[in-house]
Amino acid sequence: MSRIDDAMVAATMRGYDRNNLYAFVATVIGSEQATRLMDMYRVGTSKHWQGATVFWQISSDGNVRGGKIMLYDPLCGHRVQEPFPHINWVHSVLRLPDFKLTQCFFGEHLLPYIRDKPVAIVESEKTAILATHYLPQYLWLATGGKCSCLNREAIQALQGRDVILVPDLNATDDWRKKLNLFEESGIKVTLFEQLEQMATDEQREQGLDIADFLIAERTPHGILEQMMQRNPALRQLVETLQLELVSIKEVKPSESS
C-alpha cells in the first residue's frame, strides 16, 4: 500500500495566513478555534493554487494514504468551481512513481485517541471540521466524496464504534443503500434523516449539509475575525493592545435615525 512521508505533511502545517479555508473557518468560529481544528485534523496549506488547502487522509495506524488539494472561496467557504473544479491529489501533483491511492476517512487518525465518542460521518472535510466545533460530543469523520470510503474495506476502521451517517441533502437515499455494508461487518450504524425531512425545496436544490445549518449563526470570535480581515488596522490594534473580546452586540438603528 502506498503512503506519503510524514515530513511532507509536517511541511504543510503552516502558512494559514494564506489558506483560504482557514480564513473562512476563522470568520465562523474565530482564529484560535480554527487553528486548533486545522491542527487536530492535520489540514495543511498547499502552493498548488494560491490559497489552496490540503486534506491529508491518515489511517488509524498512522499511515498517510494521500492528500487531497482543494481551493475554497475565503468569503463564502464554497469550493472554487470556475473556470474548472479546483481539486487534485498530492501524489498526482508531485508525480510520485507507482503511487496507488487507497483512500481512508478524513480524520481517521483520531480514532485511536478518541474512543469515548460515537462516530459521525459526513461527506465534506470542511463539514467535519466545523461540526467538531458545534457538536463536540461526536467524533466527526468525512468520506471526502459522495460515497467515497463507504466500502467494505474502508469501514473496517470503525469496528467496535457506534456510527451515525449524516449525508448531505439529496444524498440520503444513496447513503441508505450503504447501511447493509455496516450491518454485514458487525458495525452498529444509524442514518440521520432529519435534515432531509426538515429542509425546504430550495435547500435541497442547493445540496446543503449539516454545516450550512450549524453556521447560520456565527460566533462572536468569528464575527471579530471577519471584521479584522476586512480591516487589517483593526487586527493590528487588537494585537498591539492585547485586547480581549468580551461580547458583540447587534445595534439596530432607531426609527428616528
Side-chain angles (χ1 to χ4, degrees), residues 174-210:
D174 290 330
W175 282 39
R176 184 182 292 108
K177 297 174 184 177
K178 301 293 183 178
L179 293 177
N180 285 340
L181 284 176
F182 290 85
E183 295 165 356
E184 291 169 2
S185 296
I187 300 171
K188 184 178 179 181
V189 62
T190 57
L191 180 68
F192 183 77
E193 301 185 66
Q194 286 83 345
L195 205 64
E196 193 78 48
Q197 295 167 357
M198 65 180 283
T200 65
D201 291 340
E202 181 181 359
Q203 289 169 336
R204 291 191 184 91
E205 185 177 345
Q206 294 172 346
L208 302 185
D209 64 17
I210 191 170

PDB file of all heavy atoms in Angstrom, residues 174-210:
ATOM      1  N   ASP A 174     -28.906   7.492  -1.296  1.00  0.00           N
ATOM      2  CA  ASP A 174     -27.668   6.801  -1.667  1.00  0.00           C
ATOM      3  C   ASP A 174     -26.967   6.246  -0.432  1.00  0.00           C
ATOM      4  O   ASP A 174     -26.445   5.123  -0.456  1.00  0.00           O
ATOM      5  CB  ASP A 174     -26.730   7.751  -2.403  1.00  0.00           C
ATOM      6  CG  ASP A 174     -27.245   8.101  -3.798  1.00  0.00           C
ATOM      7  OD1 ASP A 174     -27.933   7.256  -4.394  1.00  0.00           O
ATOM      8  OD2 ASP A 174     -26.959   9.210  -4.279  1.00  0.00           O
ATOM      9  N   TRP A 175     -26.958   6.998   0.640  1.00  0.00           N
ATOM     10  CA  TRP A 175     -26.281   6.538   1.860  1.00  0.00           C
ATOM     11  C   TRP A 175     -27.091   5.445   2.562  1.00  0.00           C
ATOM     12  O   TRP A 175     -26.517   4.584   3.219  1.00  0.00           O
ATOM     13  CB  TRP A 175     -26.014   7.724   2.791  1.00  0.00           C
ATOM     14  CG  TRP A 175     -24.837   8.552   2.351  1.00  0.00           C
ATOM     15  CD1 TRP A 175     -24.500   8.865   1.075  1.00  0.00           C
ATOM     16  CD2 TRP A 175     -23.847   9.157   3.187  1.00  0.00           C
ATOM     17  NE1 TRP A 175     -23.363   9.642   1.056  1.00  0.00           N
ATOM     18  CE2 TRP A 175     -22.938   9.838   2.336  1.00  0.00           C
ATOM     19  CE3 TRP A 175     -23.642   9.211   4.554  1.00  0.00           C
ATOM     20  CZ2 TRP A 175     -21.838  10.548   2.823  1.00  0.00           C
ATOM     21  CZ3 TRP A 175     -22.555   9.929   5.052  1.00  0.00           C
ATOM     22  CH2 TRP A 175     -21.663  10.579   4.192  1.00  0.00           C
ATOM     23  N   ARG A 176     -28.404   5.488   2.401  1.00  0.00           N
ATOM     24  CA  ARG A 176     -29.230   4.436   3.000  1.00  0.00           C
ATOM     25  C   ARG A 176     -28.866   3.069   2.406  1.00  0.00           C
ATOM     26  O   ARG A 176     -28.884   2.047   3.105  1.00  0.00           O
ATOM     27  CB  ARG A 176     -30.713   4.727   2.777  1.00  0.00           C
ATOM     28  CG  ARG A 176     -31.628   3.712   3.470  1.00  0.00           C
ATOM     29  CD  ARG A 176     -33.098   3.987   3.201  1.00  0.00           C
ATOM     30  NE  ARG A 176     -33.541   5.222   3.845  1.00  0.00           N
ATOM     31  CZ  ARG A 176     -33.831   6.346   3.193  1.00  0.00           C
ATOM     32  NH1 ARG A 176     -33.742   6.387   1.859  1.00  0.00           N
ATOM     33  NH2 ARG A 176     -34.218   7.410   3.842  1.00  0.00           N
ATOM     34  N   LYS A 177     -28.493   3.070   1.142  1.00  0.00           N
ATOM     35  CA  LYS A 177     -28.113   1.821   0.486  1.00  0.00           C
ATOM     36  C   LYS A 177     -26.829   1.233   1.052  1.00  0.00           C
ATOM     37  O   LYS A 177     -26.519   0.057   0.816  1.00  0.00           O
ATOM     38  CB  LYS A 177     -27.960   2.052  -1.015  1.00  0.00           C
ATOM     39  CG  LYS A 177     -29.251   2.478  -1.715  1.00  0.00           C
ATOM     40  CD  LYS A 177     -29.007   2.842  -3.160  1.00  0.00           C
ATOM     41  CE  LYS A 177     -30.278   3.350  -3.837  1.00  0.00           C
ATOM     42  NZ  LYS A 177     -30.020   3.783  -5.240  1.00  0.00           N
ATOM     43  N   LYS A 178     -26.060   2.042   1.779  1.00  0.00           N
ATOM     44  CA  LYS A 178     -24.788   1.582   2.337  1.00  0.00           C
ATOM     45  C   LYS A 178     -24.938   0.972   3.737  1.00  0.00           C
ATOM     46  O   LYS A 178     -23.960   0.444   4.279  1.00  0.00           O
ATOM     47  CB  LYS A 178     -23.801   2.749   2.415  1.00  0.00           C
ATOM     48  CG  LYS A 178     -23.501   3.400   1.062  1.00  0.00           C
ATOM     49  CD  LYS A 178     -22.747   2.467   0.144  1.00  0.00           C
ATOM     50  CE  LYS A 178     -22.394   3.138  -1.181  1.00  0.00           C
ATOM     51  NZ  LYS A 178     -21.612   2.250  -2.072  1.00  0.00           N
ATOM     52  N   LEU A 179     -26.127   1.046   4.302  1.00  0.00           N
ATOM     53  CA  LEU A 179     -26.314   0.549   5.659  1.00  0.00           C
ATOM     54  C   LEU A 179     -25.985  -0.937   5.773  1.00  0.00           C
ATOM     55  O   LEU A 179     -25.447  -1.394   6.789  1.00  0.00           O
ATOM     56  CB  LEU A 179     -27.755   0.817   6.118  1.00  0.00           C
ATOM     57  CG  LEU A 179     -28.138   2.289   6.312  1.00  0.00           C
ATOM     58  CD1 LEU A 179     -29.617   2.404   6.685  1.00  0.00           C
ATOM     59  CD2 LEU A 179     -27.268   2.946   7.373  1.00  0.00           C
ATOM     60  N   ASN A 180     -26.326  -1.696   4.723  1.00  0.00           N
ATOM     61  CA  ASN A 180     -26.061  -3.133   4.758  1.00  0.00           C
ATOM     62  C   ASN A 180     -24.577  -3.435   4.918  1.00  0.00           C
ATOM     63  O   ASN A 180     -24.200  -4.430   5.563  1.00  0.00           O
ATOM     64  CB  ASN A 180     -26.588  -3.808   3.491  1.00  0.00           C
ATOM     65  CG  ASN A 180     -28.091  -3.943   3.504  1.00  0.00           C
ATOM     66  OD1 ASN A 180     -28.720  -3.888   4.566  1.00  0.00           O
ATOM     67  ND2 ASN A 180     -28.688  -4.127   2.337  1.00  0.00           N
ATOM     68  N   LEU A 181     -23.711  -2.611   4.323  1.00  0.00           N
ATOM     69  CA  LEU A 181     -22.269  -2.819   4.445  1.00  0.00           C
ATOM     70  C   LEU A 181     -21.838  -2.805   5.905  1.00  0.00           C
ATOM     71  O   LEU A 181     -21.035  -3.641   6.340  1.00  0.00           O
ATOM     72  CB  LEU A 181     -21.506  -1.730   3.681  1.00  0.00           C
ATOM     73  CG  LEU A 181     -21.442  -1.840   2.161  1.00  0.00           C
ATOM     74  CD1 LEU A 181     -20.724  -0.620   1.586  1.00  0.00           C
ATOM     75  CD2 LEU A 181     -20.728  -3.115   1.737  1.00  0.00           C
ATOM     76  N   PHE A 182     -22.373  -1.838   6.657  1.00  0.00           N
ATOM     77  CA  PHE A 182     -22.025  -1.734   8.071  1.00  0.00           C
ATOM     78  C   PHE A 182     -22.596  -2.913   8.859  1.00  0.00           C
ATOM     79  O   PHE A 182     -21.903  -3.513   9.692  1.00  0.00           O
ATOM     80  CB  PHE A 182     -22.551  -0.415   8.642  1.00  0.00           C
ATOM     81  CG  PHE A 182     -21.826   0.803   8.145  1.00  0.00           C
ATOM     82  CD1 PHE A 182     -22.187   1.409   6.952  1.00  0.00           C
ATOM     83  CD2 PHE A 182     -20.778   1.356   8.871  1.00  0.00           C
ATOM     84  CE1 PHE A 182     -21.523   2.538   6.489  1.00  0.00           C
ATOM     85  CE2 PHE A 182     -20.108   2.477   8.423  1.00  0.00           C
ATOM     86  CZ  PHE A 182     -20.476   3.075   7.232  1.00  0.00           C
ATOM     87  N   GLU A 183     -23.846  -3.203   8.607  1.00  0.00           N
ATOM     88  CA  GLU A 183     -24.502  -4.280   9.340  1.00  0.00           C
ATOM     89  C   GLU A 183     -23.831  -5.622   9.079  1.00  0.00           C
ATOM     90  O   GLU A 183     -23.645  -6.431   9.998  1.00  0.00           O
ATOM     91  CB  GLU A 183     -25.985  -4.317   8.969  1.00  0.00           C
ATOM     92  CG  GLU A 183     -26.733  -3.065   9.421  1.00  0.00           C
ATOM     93  CD  GLU A 183     -28.096  -2.903   8.777  1.00  0.00           C
ATOM     94  OE1 GLU A 183     -28.435  -3.732   7.901  1.00  0.00           O
ATOM     95  OE2 GLU A 183     -28.832  -1.954   9.136  1.00  0.00           O
ATOM     96  N   GLU A 184     -23.447  -5.872   7.830  1.00  0.00           N
ATOM     97  CA  GLU A 184     -22.778  -7.127   7.496  1.00  0.00           C
ATOM     98  C   GLU A 184     -21.386  -7.211   8.130  1.00  0.00           C
ATOM     99  O   GLU A 184     -20.871  -8.309   8.348  1.00  0.00           O
ATOM    100  CB  GLU A 184     -22.661  -7.268   5.977  1.00  0.00           C
ATOM    101  CG  GLU A 184     -24.002  -7.483   5.288  1.00  0.00           C
ATOM    102  CD  GLU A 184     -23.901  -7.353   3.775  1.00  0.00           C
ATOM    103  OE1 GLU A 184     -22.771  -7.127   3.280  1.00  0.00           O
ATOM    104  OE2 GLU A 184     -24.944  -7.466   3.100  1.00  0.00           O
ATOM    105  N   SER A 185     -20.791  -6.060   8.427  1.00  0.00           N
ATOM    106  CA  SER A 185     -19.474  -6.031   9.069  1.00  0.00           C
ATOM    107  C   SER A 185     -19.577  -5.965  10.584  1.00  0.00           C
ATOM    108  O   SER A 185     -18.560  -5.851  11.279  1.00  0.00           O
ATOM    109  CB  SER A 185     -18.676  -4.819   8.564  1.00  0.00           C
ATOM    110  OG  SER A 185     -18.422  -4.931   7.175  1.00  0.00           O
ATOM    111  N   GLY A 186     -20.806  -6.025  11.102  1.00  0.00           N
ATOM    112  CA  GLY A 186     -20.997  -6.022  12.552  1.00  0.00           C
ATOM    113  C   GLY A 186     -20.796  -4.660  13.198  1.00  0.00           C
ATOM    114  O   GLY A 186     -20.476  -4.577  14.390  1.00  0.00           O
ATOM    115  N   ILE A 187     -21.003  -3.591  12.415  1.00  0.00           N
ATOM    116  CA  ILE A 187     -20.824  -2.241  12.934  1.00  0.00           C
ATOM    117  C   ILE A 187     -22.200  -1.622  13.158  1.00  0.00           C
ATOM    118  O   ILE A 187     -23.031  -1.580  12.248  1.00  0.00           O
ATOM    119  CB  ILE A 187     -20.016  -1.370  11.943  1.00  0.00           C
ATOM    120  CG1 ILE A 187     -18.632  -1.989  11.722  1.00  0.00           C
ATOM    121  CG2 ILE A 187     -19.883   0.062  12.461  1.00  0.00           C
ATOM    122  CD1 ILE A 187     -17.837  -1.320  10.608  1.00  0.00           C
ATOM    123  N   LYS A 188     -22.445  -1.135  14.373  1.00  0.00           N
ATOM    124  CA  LYS A 188     -23.727  -0.531  14.704  1.00  0.00           C
ATOM    125  C   LYS A 188     -23.828   0.825  14.024  1.00  0.00           C
ATOM    126  O   LYS A 188     -23.002   1.702  14.243  1.00  0.00           O
ATOM    127  CB  LYS A 188     -23.854  -0.380  16.225  1.00  0.00           C
ATOM    128  CG  LYS A 188     -25.212   0.150  16.681  1.00  0.00           C
ATOM    129  CD  LYS A 188     -25.281   0.237  18.192  1.00  0.00           C
ATOM    130  CE  LYS A 188     -26.632   0.803  18.643  1.00  0.00           C
ATOM    131  NZ  LYS A 188     -26.686   0.908  20.134  1.00  0.00           N
ATOM    132  N   VAL A 189     -24.852   1.005  13.195  1.00  0.00           N
ATOM    133  CA  VAL A 189     -24.958   2.226  12.405  1.00  0.00           C
ATOM    134  C   VAL A 189     -26.399   2.719  12.360  1.00  0.00           C
ATOM    135  O   VAL A 189     -27.346   1.925  12.381  1.00  0.00           O
ATOM    136  CB  VAL A 189     -24.448   1.989  10.958  1.00  0.00           C
ATOM    137  CG1 VAL A 189     -25.294   0.945  10.246  1.00  0.00           C
ATOM    138  CG2 VAL A 189     -24.389   3.285  10.163  1.00  0.00           C
ATOM    139  N   THR A 190     -26.557   4.032  12.360  1.00  0.00           N
ATOM    140  CA  THR A 190     -27.856   4.660  12.162  1.00  0.00           C
ATOM    141  C   THR A 190     -27.710   5.746  11.101  1.00  0.00           C
ATOM    142  O   THR A 190     -26.610   6.247  10.849  1.00  0.00           O
ATOM    143  CB  THR A 190     -28.406   5.288  13.460  1.00  0.00           C
ATOM    144  OG1 THR A 190     -27.452   6.240  13.965  1.00  0.00           O
ATOM    145  CG2 THR A 190     -28.671   4.228  14.506  1.00  0.00           C
ATOM    146  N   LEU A 191     -28.816   6.098  10.476  1.00  0.00           N
ATOM    147  CA  LEU A 191     -28.832   7.115   9.428  1.00  0.00           C
ATOM    148  C   LEU A 191     -29.596   8.337   9.922  1.00  0.00           C
ATOM    149  O   LEU A 191     -30.750   8.222  10.346  1.00  0.00           O
ATOM    150  CB  LEU A 191     -29.484   6.565   8.159  1.00  0.00           C
ATOM    151  CG  LEU A 191     -29.578   7.517   6.961  1.00  0.00           C
ATOM    152  CD1 LEU A 191     -28.189   7.821   6.406  1.00  0.00           C
ATOM    153  CD2 LEU A 191     -30.467   6.910   5.872  1.00  0.00           C
ATOM    154  N   PHE A 192     -28.950   9.481   9.892  1.00  0.00           N
ATOM    155  CA  PHE A 192     -29.594  10.730  10.307  1.00  0.00           C
ATOM    156  C   PHE A 192     -30.380  11.282   9.126  1.00  0.00           C
ATOM    157  O   PHE A 192     -29.804  11.776   8.159  1.00  0.00           O
ATOM    158  CB  PHE A 192     -28.532  11.738  10.767  1.00  0.00           C
ATOM    159  CG  PHE A 192     -29.104  13.029  11.282  1.00  0.00           C
ATOM    160  CD1 PHE A 192     -29.662  13.097  12.546  1.00  0.00           C
ATOM    161  CD2 PHE A 192     -29.075  14.179  10.506  1.00  0.00           C
ATOM    162  CE1 PHE A 192     -30.192  14.292  13.033  1.00  0.00           C
ATOM    163  CE2 PHE A 192     -29.599  15.375  10.979  1.00  0.00           C
ATOM    164  CZ  PHE A 192     -30.155  15.427  12.249  1.00  0.00           C
ATOM    165  N   GLU A 193     -31.712  11.190   9.213  1.00  0.00           N
ATOM    166  CA  GLU A 193     -32.573  11.601   8.112  1.00  0.00           C
ATOM    167  C   GLU A 193     -33.320  12.901   8.391  1.00  0.00           C
ATOM    168  O   GLU A 193     -34.011  13.426   7.512  1.00  0.00           O
ATOM    169  CB  GLU A 193     -33.590  10.506   7.801  1.00  0.00           C
ATOM    170  CG  GLU A 193     -32.964   9.173   7.423  1.00  0.00           C
ATOM    171  CD  GLU A 193     -33.990   8.143   7.011  1.00  0.00           C
ATOM    172  OE1 GLU A 193     -34.634   8.348   5.961  1.00  0.00           O
ATOM    173  OE2 GLU A 193     -34.156   7.145   7.728  1.00  0.00           O
ATOM    174  N   GLN A 194     -33.176  13.430   9.612  1.00  0.00           N
ATOM    175  CA  GLN A 194     -33.954  14.599   9.994  1.00  0.00           C
ATOM    176  C   GLN A 194     -33.644  15.818   9.138  1.00  0.00           C
ATOM    177  O   GLN A 194     -34.518  16.647   8.877  1.00  0.00           O
ATOM    178  CB  GLN A 194     -33.727  14.922  11.475  1.00  0.00           C
ATOM    179  CG  GLN A 194     -34.409  13.965  12.425  1.00  0.00           C
ATOM    180  CD  GLN A 194     -33.618  12.698  12.665  1.00  0.00           C
ATOM    181  OE1 GLN A 194     -32.687  12.389  11.926  1.00  0.00           O
ATOM    182  NE2 GLN A 194     -33.988  11.962  13.699  1.00  0.00           N
ATOM    183  N   LEU A 195     -32.384  15.923   8.689  1.00  0.00           N
ATOM    184  CA  LEU A 195     -32.013  17.071   7.868  1.00  0.00           C
ATOM    185  C   LEU A 195     -32.817  17.082   6.570  1.00  0.00           C
ATOM    186  O   LEU A 195     -33.314  18.125   6.137  1.00  0.00           O
ATOM    187  CB  LEU A 195     -30.516  17.017   7.556  1.00  0.00           C
ATOM    188  CG  LEU A 195     -29.816  18.335   7.231  1.00  0.00           C
ATOM    189  CD1 LEU A 195     -29.854  19.269   8.421  1.00  0.00           C
ATOM    190  CD2 LEU A 195     -28.374  18.079   6.814  1.00  0.00           C
ATOM    191  N   GLU A 196     -32.959  15.917   5.976  1.00  0.00           N
ATOM    192  CA  GLU A 196     -33.726  15.789   4.733  1.00  0.00           C
ATOM    193  C   GLU A 196     -35.198  16.120   4.969  1.00  0.00           C
ATOM    194  O   GLU A 196     -35.862  16.757   4.142  1.00  0.00           O
ATOM    195  CB  GLU A 196     -33.588  14.369   4.193  1.00  0.00           C
ATOM    196  CG  GLU A 196     -34.075  14.189   2.774  1.00  0.00           C
ATOM    197  CD  GLU A 196     -33.095  14.708   1.733  1.00  0.00           C
ATOM    198  OE1 GLU A 196     -31.893  14.380   1.818  1.00  0.00           O
ATOM    199  OE2 GLU A 196     -33.540  15.462   0.842  1.00  0.00           O
ATOM    200  N   GLN A 197     -35.710  15.700   6.114  1.00  0.00           N
ATOM    201  CA  GLN A 197     -37.123  15.879   6.404  1.00  0.00           C
ATOM    202  C   GLN A 197     -37.487  17.333   6.684  1.00  0.00           C
ATOM    203  O   GLN A 197     -38.582  17.780   6.359  1.00  0.00           O
ATOM    204  CB  GLN A 197     -37.510  14.991   7.596  1.00  0.00           C
ATOM    205  CG  GLN A 197     -37.391  13.505   7.302  1.00  0.00           C
ATOM    206  CD  GLN A 197     -37.473  12.647   8.547  1.00  0.00           C
ATOM    207  OE1 GLN A 197     -37.567  13.157   9.672  1.00  0.00           O
ATOM    208  NE2 GLN A 197     -37.436  11.329   8.360  1.00  0.00           N
ATOM    209  N   MET A 198     -36.561  18.083   7.294  1.00  0.00           N
ATOM    210  CA  MET A 198     -36.857  19.457   7.688  1.00  0.00           C
ATOM    211  C   MET A 198     -36.486  20.482   6.609  1.00  0.00           C
ATOM    212  O   MET A 198     -36.897  21.635   6.674  1.00  0.00           O
ATOM    213  CB  MET A 198     -36.095  19.813   8.971  1.00  0.00           C
ATOM    214  CG  MET A 198     -34.590  19.825   8.806  1.00  0.00           C
ATOM    215  SD  MET A 198     -33.707  20.238  10.332  1.00  0.00           S
ATOM    216  CE  MET A 198     -33.945  22.002  10.388  1.00  0.00           C
ATOM    217  N   ALA A 199     -35.745  20.070   5.592  1.00  0.00           N
ATOM    218  CA  ALA A 199     -35.229  21.009   4.599  1.00  0.00           C
ATOM    219  C   ALA A 199     -36.322  21.502   3.656  1.00  0.00           C
ATOM    220  O   ALA A 199     -37.297  20.808   3.371  1.00  0.00           O
ATOM    221  CB  ALA A 199     -34.121  20.351   3.797  1.00  0.00           C
ATOM    222  N   THR A 200     -36.125  22.701   3.149  1.00  0.00           N
ATOM    223  CA  THR A 200     -37.022  23.250   2.140  1.00  0.00           C
ATOM    224  C   THR A 200     -36.580  22.775   0.756  1.00  0.00           C
ATOM    225  O   THR A 200     -35.458  22.264   0.586  1.00  0.00           O
ATOM    226  CB  THR A 200     -36.993  24.783   2.168  1.00  0.00           C
ATOM    227  OG1 THR A 200     -35.674  25.237   1.790  1.00  0.00           O
ATOM    228  CG2 THR A 200     -37.325  25.310   3.560  1.00  0.00           C
ATOM    229  N   ASP A 201     -37.425  22.949  -0.226  1.00  0.00           N
ATOM    230  CA  ASP A 201     -37.067  22.570  -1.593  1.00  0.00           C
ATOM    231  C   ASP A 201     -35.845  23.347  -2.070  1.00  0.00           C
ATOM    232  O   ASP A 201     -34.981  22.803  -2.770  1.00  0.00           O
ATOM    233  CB  ASP A 201     -38.250  22.816  -2.539  1.00  0.00           C
ATOM    234  CG  ASP A 201     -39.402  21.861  -2.292  1.00  0.00           C
ATOM    235  OD1 ASP A 201     -39.163  20.792  -1.688  1.00  0.00           O
ATOM    236  OD2 ASP A 201     -40.530  22.184  -2.699  1.00  0.00           O
ATOM    237  N   GLU A 202     -35.765  24.612  -1.703  1.00  0.00           N
ATOM    238  CA  GLU A 202     -34.620  25.435  -2.102  1.00  0.00           C
ATOM    239  C   GLU A 202     -33.332  24.916  -1.484  1.00  0.00           C
ATOM    240  O   GLU A 202     -32.292  24.848  -2.149  1.00  0.00           O
ATOM    241  CB  GLU A 202     -34.844  26.886  -1.679  1.00  0.00           C
ATOM    242  CG  GLU A 202     -33.714  27.822  -2.087  1.00  0.00           C
ATOM    243  CD  GLU A 202     -33.941  29.248  -1.639  1.00  0.00           C
ATOM    244  OE1 GLU A 202     -35.003  29.524  -1.013  1.00  0.00           O
ATOM    245  OE2 GLU A 202     -33.068  30.095  -1.891  1.00  0.00           O
ATOM    246  N   GLN A 203     -33.399  24.517  -0.229  1.00  0.00           N
ATOM    247  CA  GLN A 203     -32.211  23.985   0.442  1.00  0.00           C
ATOM    248  C   GLN A 203     -31.783  22.659  -0.174  1.00  0.00           C
ATOM    249  O   GLN A 203     -30.584  22.392  -0.310  1.00  0.00           O
ATOM    250  CB  GLN A 203     -32.498  23.822   1.937  1.00  0.00           C
ATOM    251  CG  GLN A 203     -32.614  25.149   2.674  1.00  0.00           C
ATOM    252  CD  GLN A 203     -33.169  25.000   4.086  1.00  0.00           C
ATOM    253  OE1 GLN A 203     -33.874  24.031   4.398  1.00  0.00           O
ATOM    254  NE2 GLN A 203     -32.862  25.960   4.939  1.00  0.00           N
ATOM    255  N   ARG A 204     -32.743  21.847  -0.560  1.00  0.00           N
ATOM    256  CA  ARG A 204     -32.408  20.586  -1.227  1.00  0.00           C
ATOM    257  C   ARG A 204     -31.762  20.849  -2.579  1.00  0.00           C
ATOM    258  O   ARG A 204     -30.803  20.170  -2.962  1.00  0.00           O
ATOM    259  CB  ARG A 204     -33.660  19.721  -1.408  1.00  0.00           C
ATOM    260  CG  ARG A 204     -34.245  19.171  -0.117  1.00  0.00           C
ATOM    261  CD  ARG A 204     -35.315  18.123  -0.389  1.00  0.00           C
ATOM    262  NE  ARG A 204     -35.931  17.678   0.841  1.00  0.00           N
ATOM    263  CZ  ARG A 204     -37.021  18.232   1.374  1.00  0.00           C
ATOM    264  NH1 ARG A 204     -37.602  19.250   0.745  1.00  0.00           N
ATOM    265  NH2 ARG A 204     -37.529  17.789   2.503  1.00  0.00           N
ATOM    266  N   GLU A 205     -32.285  21.823  -3.287  1.00  0.00           N
ATOM    267  CA  GLU A 205     -31.727  22.170  -4.586  1.00  0.00           C
ATOM    268  C   GLU A 205     -30.276  22.642  -4.455  1.00  0.00           C
ATOM    269  O   GLU A 205     -29.438  22.356  -5.309  1.00  0.00           O
ATOM    270  CB  GLU A 205     -32.572  23.259  -5.251  1.00  0.00           C
ATOM    271  CG  GLU A 205     -32.136  23.600  -6.674  1.00  0.00           C
ATOM    272  CD  GLU A 205     -33.041  24.626  -7.324  1.00  0.00           C
ATOM    273  OE1 GLU A 205     -34.152  24.862  -6.802  1.00  0.00           O
ATOM    274  OE2 GLU A 205     -32.639  25.194  -8.359  1.00  0.00           O
ATOM    275  N   GLN A 206     -29.978  23.317  -3.356  1.00  0.00           N
ATOM    276  CA  GLN A 206     -28.633  23.804  -3.112  1.00  0.00           C
ATOM    277  C   GLN A 206     -27.700  22.696  -2.619  1.00  0.00           C
ATOM    278  O   GLN A 206     -26.477  22.865  -2.628  1.00  0.00           O
ATOM    279  CB  GLN A 206     -28.663  24.936  -2.079  1.00  0.00           C
ATOM    280  CG  GLN A 206     -29.375  26.185  -2.564  1.00  0.00           C
ATOM    281  CD  GLN A 206     -29.546  27.219  -1.452  1.00  0.00           C
ATOM    282  OE1 GLN A 206     -29.368  26.919  -0.278  1.00  0.00           O
ATOM    283  NE2 GLN A 206     -29.891  28.439  -1.838  1.00  0.00           N
ATOM    284  N   GLY A 207     -28.276  21.563  -2.188  1.00  0.00           N
ATOM    285  CA  GLY A 207     -27.463  20.457  -1.701  1.00  0.00           C
ATOM    286  C   GLY A 207     -26.741  20.774  -0.418  1.00  0.00           C
ATOM    287  O   GLY A 207     -25.584  20.383  -0.225  1.00  0.00           O
ATOM    288  N   LEU A 208     -27.408  21.478   0.505  1.00  0.00           N
ATOM    289  CA  LEU A 208     -26.770  21.885   1.752  1.00  0.00           C
ATOM    290  C   LEU A 208     -26.437  20.671   2.615  1.00  0.00           C
ATOM    291  O   LEU A 208     -26.986  19.585   2.441  1.00  0.00           O
ATOM    292  CB  LEU A 208     -27.698  22.829   2.532  1.00  0.00           C
ATOM    293  CG  LEU A 208     -28.134  24.116   1.818  1.00  0.00           C
ATOM    294  CD1 LEU A 208     -28.946  24.987   2.773  1.00  0.00           C
ATOM    295  CD2 LEU A 208     -26.940  24.877   1.265  1.00  0.00           C
ATOM    296  N   ASP A 209     -25.509  20.873   3.550  1.00  0.00           N
ATOM    297  CA  ASP A 209     -25.189  19.819   4.510  1.00  0.00           C
ATOM    298  C   ASP A 209     -25.352  20.382   5.913  1.00  0.00           C
ATOM    299  O   ASP A 209     -25.724  21.547   6.099  1.00  0.00           O
ATOM    300  CB  ASP A 209     -23.790  19.239   4.281  1.00  0.00           C
ATOM    301  CG  ASP A 209     -22.681  20.257   4.494  1.00  0.00           C
ATOM    302  OD1 ASP A 209     -22.921  21.307   5.119  1.00  0.00           O
ATOM    303  OD2 ASP A 209     -21.550  20.009   4.036  1.00  0.00           O
ATOM    304  N   ILE A 210     -25.057  19.567   6.908  1.00  0.00           N
ATOM    305  CA  ILE A 210     -25.331  19.967   8.291  1.00  0.00           C
ATOM    306  C   ILE A 210     -24.534  21.203   8.701  1.00  0.00           C
ATOM    307  O   ILE A 210     -25.003  22.028   9.496  1.00  0.00           O
ATOM    308  CB  ILE A 210     -25.068  18.795   9.263  1.00  0.00           C
ATOM    309  CG1 ILE A 210     -25.616  19.118  10.660  1.00  0.00           C
ATOM    310  CG2 ILE A 210     -23.597  18.429   9.303  1.00  0.00           C
ATOM    311  CD1 ILE A 210     -25.603  17.941  11.602  1.00  0.00           C
TER     312      ILE A 210
END
